[in-house]
C-alpha cells in the first residue's frame, strides 16, 4: 500500500504538517512539526486523520473510539526539551496505522522496556533515549537511509565524532568481545544484530501478514472486527485478515544498508510472490553483513494487464470512492491510481507480496545471544538460506563424506572378516 | 590364552621406551578426541554441541601440534627415524602372512626386535602416516584455525571449503587407519600381547636367530636405555 491519495492519514507522522492537497511542499521546513519530538507533557496528540494537525476542539475518532482533546498550548510549548523515547515513539512505535504493525523491534513496549527486552533502553539499565544512538548533526537524524549505501568506514565515535550513520560498532568497536571469543572473528561477515537479537517482538506481538483480498466482508450488513488469541485483530472489514506473532525468529540476508523497493511503475511477475522491497548486499561486498529482518507478507491488488502494483484510495469523505466508504475495490483502485497520476487498466487481482524490515533494536542481554549451533547446523539453522560463506556444521563436502564412510566401513568389514577367519581356523585346529 | 601353534621358545624383550609409550597413548587420546569433536564440528552428529565441539577441537589440535613437534625432535635425536625407513624386503612375506599364514597358525615372518620394531608393512604404513597423512591433517587444521588471518598473511587465495574438505578427508583416513590398527594389535601371540607391550614396554616374542642385518638400526647414537 502506498502514500498517494491517503496523505491526510500518513502525514500524521511523515513530514507534512497541514497537508491540504497535492501541491503541499514536503521540503518546506516550516511545515515540520517540532512539537511532536520536543514537547514533554505527553499530551500533544494529533487527530489520526487530521493531516498532521491536532484537534481544535474535543473530537471523537471513530477508528479507535478515543476523544482527542486540543492541546493545552502553553503547557506543551513550555515543556519543549530534548526528545525522549516517547517523542520518537509517537510515530515510530505506531508505524503503519497502529502499534506493532510495521517494525518488529519498535513498538509501545519500548516506552519502558526492561533489560530482557532491550539492554540499552532498559529503564532498569542505561535507559538510553533514541537520540543517544541516533545522534544528530544539525537535525539530520543519524540512522539509515534506504537509498544511500552502507556506511563505508568502520569508525568509532572516538575516531569520528559525528558519524553520518550510527552502527553498533560506533560505540562497541568491531571486536567487542573478550580476546579469544570466537564472535570477534564473525563481525566482518555477521552483523552484531544477527547474534544479539535472537527474536523480535519479545514483549508484544507484531503483525506478520496482512491479506487485503479478504477485506470488505460484512456482518449484518455492517463492517466488523474480530480479535484473535493474542488479543490483536485478525479480521477487519476495512483491511482484511491479519496474522500476528510473538517471539519471532528473524530471517537473514546479506545487507549493505541499502534497501531497494518496487515502485508503482515497475513491472512485477505475478506468478511468484512479489518482493516489494529487498535488502541489497552480497557476500562479495565488503560492506555487507548478514543481518536479521522481519518479513511481512501480504496480499495486495495489482493490475493484471499492466502488471504493476495498484494503490487504492482508502480514506476520504463519505461521498468519495474511497474503499473505507464504499468497500468497492474497483472504484477505490481507479480513484487511487487517478490521484497518483498513474495508468490503471481496470483489471485487478491480488498477488502475494513480501516486505522486509531491518531488525536492530531489542538487543537482548548477552546470555541470550544466538548460540553457535543455531547457525552452525544442517537442519533448520538460521543461516539456511545464506550463500557465499562456508559454515562448519552446516556445510560439508558430501562427496568426501560418502567416500570417507565407504573407506571407514570398508576397513571395518575387512577386519571383521579377518577376525572371523582367524576364529574359524583356530576352532578347526583346536576342534 | 596362547594361540601359538608352533613350538618356538618365547622371550621377553623391551620394545618401547617410556617416552615412546607416553607419546603413543597421548597421541591416541588426542586423535580420538579430535575425531569425535571434528566430525561433530563438521555436522555429522550432535553430541557436545557445536560450541563445545569446536572449542575442544581447536584446543586439542594445537596441543597435538606442539606434542608432535617434541616427537619429531625425539625421533631425530635418537635416530629412531631409521625404524621408519621403508623397505620392500620381506614385504610380500608379511602380506602373505596376514592374508594366509595367520589363519594357518604360521609364525610371523618378521618378529619384533628391539632394533627392528616394525615389520616392512608397518614401516610403510607408519611412514606414510607420520610423514604424510598426519602432517597434512595438521597443516590443513592449522590453516582452518587461522582462517581469519589469511588476508594478513597473504593467503587470501585459499578457499575455506577446500581446506575444510582436505581436513575432512584426512579425518576419514585416520579413522580408517585407527580401525585397522586397533584390530591389528589383537594379532600378537595373544590378543593382548601387543597392547601389553605398549603399556609396560615389554613384549613376548618368539626367540629366533638374530634379526637380519638389513633390519637393524645402526647403533652408536644414543639408544634409549635398556631397563
Amino acid at each position: 500500500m502506498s502514500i498517494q491519495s491517503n496523505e491526510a492519514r500518513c502525514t500524521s507522522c511523515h513530514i507534512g504538517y497541514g497537508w491540504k492537497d497535492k501541491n503541499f511542499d514536503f521540503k518546506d521546513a516550516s511545515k515540520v512539526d517540532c512539537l511532536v519530538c520536543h514537547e514533554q507533557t505527553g499530551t500533544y496528540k494529533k487527530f489520526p486523520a487530521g493531516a498532521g494537525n491536532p484537534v481544535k476542539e474535543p473530537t471523537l475518532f471513530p477508528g479507535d473510539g478515543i476523544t482527542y482533546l486540543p492541546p493545552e498550548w502553553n503547557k506543551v510549548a513550555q515543556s519543549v526539551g530534548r526528545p525522549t523515547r516517547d517523542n520518537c515513539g509517537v510515530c515510530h512505535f505506531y508505524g503503519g496505522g497502529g502499534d506493532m504493525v510495521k517494525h518488529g523491534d519498535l513498538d509501545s513496549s519500548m516506552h519502558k522496556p526492561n533489560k530482557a527486552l532491550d539492554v540499552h533502553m532498559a529503564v532498569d539499565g542505561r535507559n538510553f533515549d533514541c537520540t543517544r544512538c541516533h545522534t544528530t548533526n544539525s537535525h539530520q537524524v543519524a540512522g539509515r537511509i534506504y537509498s544511500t549505501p552502507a556506511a563505508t568506514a568502520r569508525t568509532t565515535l572516538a575516531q569520528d565524532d559525528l558519524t553520518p550513520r550510527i552502527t553498533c560498532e560506533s560505540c562497541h568497536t568491531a571486536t567487542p568481545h573478550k580476546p579469544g571469543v570466537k564472535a570477534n572473528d564473525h563481525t566482518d561477515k555477521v552483523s552484531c544484530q544477527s547474534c544479539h537479537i535472537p527474536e523480535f517482538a519479545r514483549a508484544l506481538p507484531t503483525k506478520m501478514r496482512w491479506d487485503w483480498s479478504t477485506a470488505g466482508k460484512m456482518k449484518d450488513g455492517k463492517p466488523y472486527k474480530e480479535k484473535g488469541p493474542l488479543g490483536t485483530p485478525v479480521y477487519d472489514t476495512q483491511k482484511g485478515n491479519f496474522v500476528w506473532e510473538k517471539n519471532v525468529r528473524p530471517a537473514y540476508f546479506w545487507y549493505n544498508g541499502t534497501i531497494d523497493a518496487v515502485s508503482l511503475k515497475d513491472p512485477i511477475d505475478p506468478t511468484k510472490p512479489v518482493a516489494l522491497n529487498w535488502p541489497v548486499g552480497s557476500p562479495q561486498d565488503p560492506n555487507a553483513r548478514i543481518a536479521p529482518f522481519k518479513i511481512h507478507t501480504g496480499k495486495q491488488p495489482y493490475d493484471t494487464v499492466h502488471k504493476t502494483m495498484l494503490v487504492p484510495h482508502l480514506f476520504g469523505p463519505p461521498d468519495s470512492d474511497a474503499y473505507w466508504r464504499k468497500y468497492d475495490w474497483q472504484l477505490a483502485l481507479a480513484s487511487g491510481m487517478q490521484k497518483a497520476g498513474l495508468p490503471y487498466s481496470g483489471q485487478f487481482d491480488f498477488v502475494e507480496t513480501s516486505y522486509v524490515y531491518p531488525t536492530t533494536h531489542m538487543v537482548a542481554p548477552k546470555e541470550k545471544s544466538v548460540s553457535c549451533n543455531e547457525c552452525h547446523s544442517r537442519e533448520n539453522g538460521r543461516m539456511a538460506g545464506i550463500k557465499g560463506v562456508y559454515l562448519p556444521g552446516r556445510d560439508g563436502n558430501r562427496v568426501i563424506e560418502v567416500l570417507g564412510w565407504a573407506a571407514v566401513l570398508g576397513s571395518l568389514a575387512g577386519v571383521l572378516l579377518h577376525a572371523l577367519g582367524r576364529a574359524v581356523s583356530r576352532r578347526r585346529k583346536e576342534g | 590364552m596362547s594361540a601359538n601353534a608352533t613350538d618356538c621358545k618365547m622371550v621377553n624383550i623391551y620394545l618401547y621406551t617410556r617416552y615412546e609409550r607416553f607419546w603413543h597413548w597421548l597421541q591416541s587420546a588426542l586423535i580420538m578426541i579430535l575425531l569425535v569433536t571434528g566430525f561433530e564440528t563438521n555436522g555429522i552428529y550432535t553430541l557436545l554441541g557445536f560450541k563445545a565441539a569446536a572449542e575442544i577441537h581447536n584446543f586439542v589440535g594445537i596441543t597435538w601440534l606442539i606434542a608432535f613437534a617434541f616427537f619429531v625432535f625425539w625421533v631425530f635425536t635418537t635416530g629412531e627415524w631409521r625404524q621408519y625407513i621403508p623397505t620392500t624386503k620381506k614385504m610380500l612375506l608379511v602380506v602373505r602372512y596376514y592374508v594366509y599364514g595367520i589363519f594357518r597358525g604360521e609364525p610371523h615372518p618378521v618378529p619384533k626386535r628391539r632394533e627392528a620394531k616394525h615389520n616392512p608393512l608397518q614401516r610403510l604404513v607408519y611412514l606414510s602416516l607420520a610423514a604424510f597423512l598426519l602432517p597434512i591433517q595438521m597443516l590443513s587444521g592449522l590453516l582452518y584455525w587461522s582462517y581469519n588471518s589469511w588476508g594478513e598473511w597473504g593467503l587470501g587465495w585459499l578457499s575455506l571449503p577446500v581446506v575444510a574438505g582436505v581436513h575432512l578427508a584426512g579425518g576419514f583416513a585416520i579413522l580408517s587407519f585407527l580401525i585397522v590398527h586397533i584390530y591389528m594389535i589383537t594379532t600378537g601371540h595373544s590378543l593382548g600381547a601387543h597392547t601389553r607391550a605398549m603399556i609396560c614396554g615389554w613384549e613376548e616374542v618368539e626367540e629366533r636367530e638374530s634379526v637380519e642385518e638389513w633390519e637393524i638400526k645402526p647403533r652408536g647414537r644414543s639408544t634409549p636405555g635398556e631397563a
Side-chain angles (χ1 to χ4, degrees):
Chain A
M1 288 297 157
S2 198
I3 303 173
Q4 279 97 333
S5 80
N6 304 306
E7 290 92 336
R9 284 200 69 145
C10 304
T11 52
S12 301
C13 291
H14 295 259
I15 295 174
Y17 184 48
W19 178 85
K20 282 210 188 63
D21 57 36
K22 281 207 292 195
N23 302 321
F24 180 85
D25 179 5
F26 282 94
K27 296 214 168 65
D28 179 352
S30 70
K31 300 281 174 15
V32 177
D33 185 351
C34 315
L35 287 171
V36 189
C37 285
H38 293 286
E39 74 92 21
Q40 304 295 339
T41 63
T43 60
Y44 183 67
K45 296 241 165 61
K46 301 184 174 201
F47 191 63
N53 283 303
V55 293
K56 295 209 174 62
E57 52 202 58
T59 313
L60 179 88
F61 179 57
D64 56 12
I66 292 174
T67 303
Y68 286 76
L69 300 172
E72 293 182 60
W73 287 107
N74 52 348
K75 275 198 194 158
V76 168
Q78 280 161 12
S79 77
V80 167
R82 286 176 64 87
T84 63
R85 283 200 301 275
D86 296 341
N87 290 120
C88 310
V90 164
C91 300
H92 285 289
F93 297 167
Y94 306 94
D99 192 7
M100 317 171 288
V101 171
K102 277 189 168 178
H103 292 259
D105 59 335
L106 288 171
D107 58 36
S108 62
S109 66
M110 300 294 276
H111 283 300
K112 287 192 170 54
N114 60 12
K115 248 193 132 169
L117 183 58
D118 191 299
V119 293
H120 299 104
M121 293 185 260
V123 287
D124 53 344
R126 297 284 167 135
N127 206 359
F128 279 13
D129 279 322
C130 314
T131 49
R132 177 69 189 271
C133 296
H134 295 281
T135 47
T136 70
N137 179 356
S138 308
H139 257 76
Q140 309 215 340
V141 179
R144 47 162 309 285
I145 306 161
Y146 292 129
S147 53
T148 48
T152 43
R154 299 167 82 188
T155 51
T156 62
L157 275 183
Q159 293 164 301
D160 181 0
D161 197 24
L162 280 176
T163 45
R165 282 175 69 102
I166 182 81
T167 64
C168 312
E169 298 184 7
S170 308
C171 294
H172 287 288
T173 79
T175 49
H177 312 92
K178 292 187 200 84
V181 172
K182 191 67 194 167
N184 281 338
D185 288 338
H186 282 69
T187 56
D188 59 338
K189 296 275 167 69
V190 184
S191 74
C192 318
Q193 291 93 329
S194 296
C195 286
H196 286 291
I197 310 175
E199 278 139 7
F200 56 82
R202 295 204 299 274
L204 300 168
T206 188
K207 187 184 283 178
M208 296 298 288
R209 183 171 171 78
W210 184 333
D211 181 353
W212 284 92
S213 71
T214 56
K217 285 189 239 165
M218 301 289 169
K219 218 179 225 166
D220 310 324
K222 279 202 218 102
Y224 70 101
K225 290 181 187 178
E226 234 174 65
K227 281 204 172 168
L230 292 167
T232 45
V234 290
Y235 184 75
D236 182 337
T237 305
Q238 287 190 340
K239 300 175 181 173
N241 279 98
F242 304 130
V243 175
W244 300 79
E245 280 173 44
K246 252 184 95 168
N247 295 317
V248 190
R249 176 166 123 170
Y252 295 86
F253 302 102
W254 285 102
Y255 178 49
N256 66 13
T258 312
I259 290 182
D260 264 358
V262 168
S263 84
L264 284 174
K265 290 183 187 137
D266 293 329
I268 55 149
D269 175 5
T271 58
K272 289 184 284 200
V274 177
L276 295 178
N277 73 354
W278 57 92
V280 181
S282 72
Q284 288 77 35
D285 180 345
N287 291 321
R289 305 277 182 282
I290 297 162
F293 289 85
K294 162 179 165 175
I295 303 184
H296 184 284
T297 63
K299 262 192 163 174
Q300 297 189 39
Y302 77 101
D303 189 319
T304 52
V305 177
H306 296 143
K307 305 267 192 284
T308 54
M309 297 307 293
L310 292 171
V311 49
H313 184 188
L314 290 175
F315 163 82
D319 58 335
S320 70
D321 284 342
Y323 187 73
W324 293 345
R325 295 295 176 188
K326 300 207 172 109
Y327 294 103
D328 183 327
W329 281 117
Q330 195 55 273
L331 293 177
L333 290 170
S335 161
M337 292 306 275
Q338 189 215 335
K339 287 200 156 81
L342 291 165
Y344 172 45
S345 71
Q347 306 287 316
F348 77 96
D349 198 354
F350 289 87
V351 64
E352 273 290 328
T353 58
S354 69
Y355 196 94
V356 296
Y357 293 96
T359 303
T360 208
H361 308 95
M362 297 192 180
V363 172
K366 59 185 175 196
E367 310 78 53
K368 293 277 160 60
S369 314
V370 173
S371 64
C372 314
N373 52 309
E374 287 183 63
C375 293
H376 291 274
S377 79
R378 290 194 182 175
E379 267 124 48
N380 196 26
R382 289 180 187 244
M383 296 289 107
I386 295 288
K387 297 203 171 65
V389 275
Y390 181 89
L391 267 78
R394 181 194 75 168
D395 305 310
N397 186 321
R398 302 298 173 252
V399 176
I400 294 178
E401 250 172 63
V402 169
L403 294 177
W405 284 125
V408 168
L409 294 177
S411 311
L412 206 59
V415 299
L416 287 177
L417 280 176
H418 200 271
L420 196 71
R422 273 164 72 205
V424 168
S425 68
R426 176 175 312 150
R427 175 151 316 158
R428 208 178 287 147
K429 240 168 280 153
E430 280 166 4
Chain B
M1 69 172 186
S2 168
N4 188 11
T6 59
D7 45 9
C8 279
K9 203 175 140 216
M10 302 303 295
V11 291
N12 257 335
I13 60 167
Y14 189 62
L15 268 186
Y16 306 110
T17 62
R18 191 177 302 165
Y19 173 75
E20 268 177 302
R21 283 175 278 140
F22 165 73
W23 165 246
H24 175 269
W25 291 114
L26 176 69
Q27 170 158 273
S28 45
L30 295 179
I31 287 182
M32 304 261 200
I33 299 174
L34 285 169
L35 283 172
V36 170
T37 54
F39 286 125
E40 170 158 19
T41 304
N42 181 258
I44 291 176
Y45 48 79
T46 306
L47 190 70
L48 308 163
F50 180 86
K51 184 174 199 241
E55 284 173 358
I56 296 173
H57 191 84
N58 286 349
F59 179 77
V60 173
I62 298 299
T63 311
W64 182 38
L65 220 71
I66 296 168
F68 197 79
F70 280 99
F71 171 71
V72 172
F73 180 76
W74 176 85
V75 159
F76 282 100
T77 50
T78 57
E80 284 290 306
W81 59 275
R82 290 196 175 77
Q83 303 253 15
Y84 295 89
I85 298 174
T87 171
T88 47
K89 284 206 192 106
K90 288 205 182 174
M91 171 77 89
L92 285 179
L93 279 182
V94 176
V95 173
R96 182 194 163 276
Y97 169 74
Y98 283 116
V99 299
Y100 178 72
I102 191 170
F103 300 115
R104 320 242 0 208
E106 290 172 10
H108 198 290
V110 189
K112 287 179 194 299
R113 288 294 176 267
R114 171 82 270 277
E115 310 84 353
K117 298 188 274 205
H118 305 144
N119 69 50
L121 192 60
Q122 276 178 312
R123 286 173 186 240
L124 191 71
V125 170
Y126 289 163
L127 180 71
S128 30
L129 201 68
F132 194 63
L133 182 55
L134 299 188
I136 284 187
Q137 198 62 358
M138 289 175 187
L139 185 71
S140 57
L142 194 65
L143 284 173
Y144 200 154
W145 182 66
S146 54
Y147 164 73
N148 291 280
S149 310
W150 289 1
E152 292 157 44
W153 297 355
L155 296 173
W157 46 272
L158 275 174
S159 141
L160 188 55
V162 171
V163 171
V166 170
H167 201 60
L168 177 65
F172 277 117
I174 292 177
L175 179 58
S176 305
F177 162 80
L178 201 67
I179 291 171
V180 178
H181 180 72
I182 291 175
Y183 172 71
M184 293 299 269
I185 60 178
T186 67
T187 60
H189 294 299
S190 63
L191 289 181
H194 288 335
T195 319
R196 213 191 102 222
M198 216 17 123
I199 296 172
C200 332
W202 293 88
E203 177 152 1
E204 210 184 18
V205 296
E206 297 147 30
E207 184 178 46
R208 280 217 249 152
E209 66 291 357
S210 73
V211 281
E212 287 167 44
E213 190 61 25
W214 59 269
E215 284 183 293
I216 297 173
K217 171 179 75 103
R219 291 211 162 223
R221 304 188 187 211
S222 72
T223 313
E226 248 36 56

